[in-house]
Amino acid sequence: MTAIQTRRRSRNRSDLLVRYAFVLPAALYMIAFFGYPILKNVVMSFQAYDFATFFNGHAPFVGVDNYAATFSDPIFLRALSNTGLFTVGSIIGQFVLGMGLALYFRKRFPLSGFLRSLLLLPWLLPMIVSAAVWRWILEQDNGALNQFLSGIGLISDPIPWLNSSDTALIAVIIVNIWLGIPFNVVLLYSGLQSIPDELYEAGQLDGATGWKSFLHITLPMLRPVVSVVLLLGVIYTIKVLDLIIGLTGGGPANATQTLATRSYEMSFVEFDFGQGAALSNVLIVIALAFSIVYLRANARAAKNG
Amino acid sequence: MSTATHSAPVLTATPRRRRPRRSWIHTVIGIVLVAIMLFPVYWMLNASLAPAGNSLNTQWLPLDPDFSGYSRAIADQGQNLVTSVIVAVGACLLSIVIAAPCAYALAQFRIKGTAALLFLVLISQMIPGIVIANALYTVYTPLGLINSIPGLILADASQGIPFAILIMRAYLETFPTSIVEAARVDGCGHVRAFWSIVLPVSKNSLITAGIFSFLFAWSDFLMALTLTTGETIRPVTLGLYTYIGTNDTDWSAVMSTAVLSSLPAVILMIVAQKYVAAGATGGAVK
């Protein structure tokens, strides 16, 4: 081996080290704050990890006890069905209203760009701020919603939106729809913008206008974006926690308890981290299932787009 | 994103422009729609200007604004606001410092393991925060990071870092390699090329990443709720939450705190509209 070759090789090696140094901090962070917590949750879910563990460090292995306890807990079933209702209700509401607004703002009119950008605001506010504001709006005696509804004569008695187990889940879904509309508008609007005008012009010649052109031109062209919006919506919605904790704390009587809030409650209120971890693993499995579908849909959209 | 400005020279000659009068009707309807959507924000502002106490007749317009809610909010929550500023600025800086070089490497270097890292970054955005909080609490306790600013900064960056990596990588993928290669031929090292060529050119994506990293940390509630236990280190989001619980008769002070907590988002939306819009779509569709 000649001296030049050796030098080149060592230069290549140090070059490679420099390249890896660019990635290293991020890789370490991602492993510490995502890789490790995920693994730790899996391990904890098979341990009796509770209050005592924080004092004596013992977390005995208990097999599938935490899962057995979780699945036989009636609150778990309630939380599971609430998570389903919350997610489906939120997604339908956000998508329909978001689509309506996106279609409306597609018309070119004065100030449309400015008004559209104002719509983003609810999405940028801290979720706990939105929760506080809506608590005040939904308040039984002085809240704006009840005042408005009784003002126009629609109700005679004020509705205890957040304090009754009949209405709490509906109220929480309504607030979450409000929060999710901006996200839907932004993505759907940018999807609508990429549909060439020529298609509509051609459709017009074939008599496809209004509703027909929406069904036969807009929806098919928008399909990749729609699937991304819906899947991301599901992924974001099943993990919502701030909003529910802020509005109802999961109550009344578990009426708004979801998998995320129940997992929080198990770990940080009951101090049973083992069961909390078992619950959050159920949540992870659901989230990952949708994530994989999403990543594939997104890759397809990128390829076609 | 392929929001291509598809040029159709023939068709642009016959624009689908409507008569001005109809357009203004659209504007009016548009204003009404936005007003309905933003009513809660207005209502927050309105309630923050109401006099103290739980008045039975809420005014629909703050004709007689009372700023005492703000003085009570600042007295009670001022310290928490300062904590939030420190944590959010810290998390924003940390996110950029960690994410920028990584995004560049993911976009431009061909080295082993980057595919796995990118996958972890993509998946991380979908992991429920409670999973992270569960595990972090058990590690933070022995490390003494509970109730600490560094602990919160590190935890809050968990939203900013993956987002910043994705946003900046998407931009740097389109960055012409030839510029960096030319500099490299002139004997410029990777670090210098990155610092003096790549970073200045990717200023826009840096700003977008920074804004969102800041807002994520500013808005964080879950990490504050789980990783702090006392009153000494308490971000304003958690302060607001406990405020409602203990103070639900004084809505004007609560709503003043809510307004103060919303200021960064509102200010950034006004002064950095372009970057905010870029971040809104950038995180989802690449």
Side-chain angles (χ1 to χ4, degrees), chain A residues 15-16 18-23 25-27 29-38 40-41 44 49 54 101 104-111 113-129 131-137 139 141-144 147-148 178 181-183 186-187 190-191 193-198 200-201 225 228 232 235-236 239 241-242 245-246 249 260 263-264 267-268 271 273 276-277 280-281 283-284 287-288 291-292 294-295 298 302 305, chain B residues 1-3 6-8 11 16 18 23-27 29-31 33-34 36-41 43-44 47 54-56 58 60 94 98 101-102 104-106 109-114 117 119-141 154-158 161-162 165 184 190-191 194 212 215 218-222 225-226 237 240-241 244 251 254-255 258 261-262 265-266 269 273 276-277 279-281 283-286:
Chain A
D15 183 81
L16 194 65
V18 172
R19 285 164 181 238
Y20 273 111
F22 273 78
V23 200
Y29 183 89
M30 293 305 292
I31 290 168
F33 283 82
F34 287 100
Y36 174 78
I38 295 171
K40 175 84 179 172
N41 257 282
M44 274 198 299
Y49 207 113
F54 288 95
L101 283 168
Y104 187 80
F105 278 96
R106 196 178 185 225
K107 298 186 172 118
R108 283 149 227 176
F109 54 83
L111 293 180
F114 169 71
L115 290 171
R116 193 162 41 81
S117 69
L118 281 182
L119 280 180
L120 273 179
L121 191 56
W123 181 66
L124 292 173
L125 297 181
M127 234 187 228
I128 203 73
V129 166
V133 175
W134 278 94
R135 253 172 97 148
W136 173 223
I137 291 175
E139 221 250 348
D141 298 321
N142 300 309
Q147 281 192 24
F148 173 74
W178 178 76
I181 287 175
F183 172 77
V186 166
L187 289 190
S190 78
Q193 289 305 98
S194 61
I195 302 177
D197 281 350
E198 290 90 323
Y200 290 101
E201 319 253 344
V225 179
V228 164
L232 267 186
I235 292 163
Y236 291 153
K239 63 179 184 181
L241 187 135
D242 306 22
I245 299 270
S263 171
Y264 161 76
S267 296
F268 292 95
F271 248 75
F273 276 75
S280 55
N281 285 338
L283 199 56
I284 281 199
L288 282 186
S291 303
I292 288 164
Y294 161 70
L295 290 177
N298 200 10
Chain B
M1 282 293 312
S2 57
T3 46
H6 42 270
S7 51
L11 289 168
R16 305 188 307 145
R18 299 184 162 83
S23 296
W24 280 104
I25 291 172
H26 285 310
T27 304
I29 298 173
I31 290 173
L33 291 174
V34 171
I36 294 171
M37 266 298 284
L38 296 190
F39 173 78
V41 180
W43 202 239
M44 162 174 78
N54 204 344
S55 59
L56 276 173
T58 318
W60 293 88
L94 181 69
I98 288 185
C102 173
Y104 175 59
L106 287 180
F109 295 163
R110 282 196 191 87
I111 45 179
K112 276 183 194 160
T114 48
L117 181 60
F119 183 72
L120 184 59
V121 169
L122 284 171
I123 287 292
S124 73
Q125 293 205 303
M126 290 134 200
I127 299 295
I130 186 64
V131 174
I132 311 296
N134 264 341
L136 282 188
Y137 185 82
T138 65
V139 195
Y140 269 34
T141 308
L154 279 166
D156 283 0
S158 64
I161 287 176
I165 290 176
R184 301 264 302 139
H190 279 300
V191 177
F194 173 71
F212 278 87
L215 282 181
W218 177 269
S219 308
D220 164 72
F221 172 67
L222 180 61
L225 180 67
T226 54
T237 45
L240 179 62
Y241 171 69
I244 311 172
W251 279 101
V254 172
M255 288 300 121
S261 314
S262 310
V266 175
M269 201 183 82
Q273 208 189 82
V276 170
T281 45
V285 188
K286 288 165 290 299

Side-chain angles (χ1 to χ4, degrees), chain A residues 75 78-80 82-83 86 131 135 161-170 172 240-265 269, chain B residues 221 225 241:
Chain A
I75 299 177
R78 187 77 194 262
L80 190 65
N82 280 346
T83 307
F86 177 72
R135 253 172 97 148
W161 292 105
L162 295 171
N163 299 323
S164 151
S165 48
D166 297 329
T167 49
L169 188 61
I170 296 169
V172 170
V240 166
L241 187 135
D242 306 22
L243 186 71
I244 300 175
I245 299 270
L247 283 172
T248 61
N254 296 312
T256 54
Q257 197 75 261
T258 62
L259 291 177
T261 60
R262 183 65 180 155
S263 171
Y264 161 76
E265 211 175 71
V269 181
Chain B
F221 172 67
L225 180 67
Y241 171 69

Side-chain angles (χ1 to χ4, degrees), chain B residues 40-253:
Chain B
V41 180
Y42 166 74
W43 202 239
M44 162 174 78
L45 199 61
N46 182 39
S48 75
L49 295 169
N54 204 344
S55 59
L56 276 173
N57 293 319
T58 318
Q59 300 295 316
W60 293 88
L61 288 169
L63 294 175
D64 186 16
D66 182 328
F67 290 92
S68 63
Y70 285 92
S71 52
R72 288 194 303 282
I74 288 171
D76 294 342
Q77 303 284 343
Q79 180 62 40
N80 299 340
L81 282 163
V82 174
T83 302
S84 277
V85 171
I86 296 170
V87 169
V89 169
C92 167
L93 294 177
L94 181 69
S95 298
I96 296 299
V97 168
I98 288 185
C102 173
Y104 175 59
L106 287 180
Q108 300 280 344
F109 295 163
R110 282 196 191 87
I111 45 179
K112 276 183 194 160
T114 48
L117 181 60
L118 185 61
F119 183 72
L120 184 59
V121 169
L122 284 171
I123 287 292
S124 73
Q125 293 205 303
M126 290 134 200
I127 299 295
I130 186 64
V131 174
I132 311 296
N134 264 341
L136 282 188
Y137 185 82
T138 65
V139 195
Y140 269 34
T141 308
L143 290 177
L145 285 170
I146 299 284
N147 291 323
S148 77
I149 298 269
L152 280 177
I153 289 177
L154 279 166
D156 283 0
S158 64
Q159 282 188 77
I161 287 176
F163 182 85
I165 290 176
L166 291 178
I167 282 276
M168 296 179 63
R169 188 192 76 111
Y171 170 76
L172 289 168
E173 292 233 291
T174 62
F175 184 73
T177 24
S178 53
I179 302 178
V180 178
E181 268 160 19
R184 301 264 302 139
V185 169
D186 292 344
C188 180
H190 279 300
V191 177
R192 232 189 91 203
F194 173 71
W195 183 256
S196 52
I197 300 170
V198 177
L199 279 188
V201 180
S202 42
K203 204 184 84 196
N204 284 1
S205 69
L206 263 176
I207 295 176
T208 301
I211 286 175
F212 278 87
S213 304
F214 176 88
L215 282 181
F216 286 144
W218 177 269
S219 308
D220 164 72
F221 172 67
L222 180 61
M223 297 303 173
L225 180 67
T226 54
L227 302 178
T228 69
T229 53
E231 286 180 24
T232 43
I233 305 284
R234 176 177 281 178
V236 71
T237 45
L238 185 62
L240 179 62
Y241 171 69
T242 50
Y243 212 29
I244 311 172
T246 56
N247 215 8
D248 63 352
T249 47
D250 189 1
W251 279 101
S252 66

Side-chain angles (χ1 to χ4, degrees), chain A residues 16-70:
Chain A
L16 194 65
L17 284 178
V18 172
R19 285 164 181 238
Y20 273 111
F22 273 78
V23 200
L24 190 68
L28 288 178
Y29 183 89
M30 293 305 292
I31 290 168
F33 283 82
F34 287 100
Y36 174 78
I38 295 171
L39 278 180
K40 175 84 179 172
N41 257 282
V42 173
V43 175
M44 274 198 299
S45 71
F46 295 109
Q47 287 175 314
Y49 207 113
D50 52 27
F51 208 68
T53 311
F54 288 95
F55 289 103
N56 56 28
H58 291 304
F61 182 76
V62 291
V64 295
D65 280 8
N66 287 323
Y67 289 96
T70 299

